[in-house]
Amino acid sequence: MTHHRHPRLLSVAAEVPGHARGHLLGGWLSALAGLAGAGLPDLTGAILLIEAERTIGLGQVDRQLTQLIRSGALDGLWGIVLGRFPGFEDYTDRGWNLVDVLRDRLTPLGVPVLGGLEFGHGPDPHAVALGTMAELDTASGTLTLRPPAHDRYG
């Protein structure tokens, strides 16, 4: 199944060009940061999906991303997919917006970042199967998921 970038979503502006393949892991940023050092799976070779809603401020988004980075949880990551960030569209804090924070924290990781996918909080969210093999391509604006393999009972 292929998911296409939605060009009007805010996170598109935080993209870092590139292509990556790996298992898709991740989810809500607050939960990911809370699991750093306390049960977050090894993200080596993974594509990390991140999404959040504005029940938190930009400072908290920055702190949560910084916590993941400094804990070493993002070491070995092969790519990042950014989902929805509802409520941040017109929100600024001390001259920064969400895109500024995402670029500042994620660009130095040196991995491709695909933004604008319809996963996460907000109206009519699309589900995504975590743990599946995924391929992100910023040139085509796509995230392609391979269906999970069936075992002999499935």
Side-chain angles (χ1 to χ4, degrees):
M1 170 175 249
T2 299
H3 300 273
H4 297 273
R5 158 196 317 125
H6 189 288
R8 287 185 281 170
L9 287 180
L10 185 61
S11 62
V12 169
E15 281 190 350
V16 176
H19 178 270
R21 284 187 191 155
H23 287 94
L24 184 66
L25 300 172
W28 184 40
L29 178 58
S30 294
L32 295 171
L35 288 172
L40 188 65
D42 183 2
L43 299 175
T44 301
I47 295 175
L48 181 66
L49 168 65
I50 301 172
E51 58 88 12
E53 64 181 328
R54 203 178 85 69
T55 55
I56 60 175
L58 287 177
Q60 195 167 358
V61 169
D62 182 46
R63 282 188 297 279
Q64 291 170 348
L65 288 171
T66 299
Q67 178 181 351
L68 287 166
I69 292 165
R70 288 189 179 169
S71 72
L74 304 187
D75 294 350
L77 198 63
W78 287 358
I80 296 173
V81 176
L82 300 173
R84 291 180 173 179
F85 290 81
F88 282 101
E89 293 82 4
D90 297 318
Y91 182 74
T92 60
D93 184 357
R94 291 168 261 179
W96 281 56
N97 65 23
L98 177 71
V99 172
D100 296 322
V101 172
L102 292 173
R103 283 182 182 158
D104 184 68
R105 299 283 75 214
L106 301 179
T107 301
L109 297 176
V111 299
V113 177
L114 174 63
L117 295 178
E118 291 279 3
F119 307 131
H121 289 82
D124 189 31
H126 300 199
V128 60
L130 297 176
T132 59
M133 255 333 236
E135 182 174 350
L136 76 79
D137 183 0
T138 61
S140 64
T142 58
L143 176 70
T144 303
L145 303 175
R146 286 194 216 149
H150 293 283
D151 62 21
R152 64 183 179 155
Y153 302 107

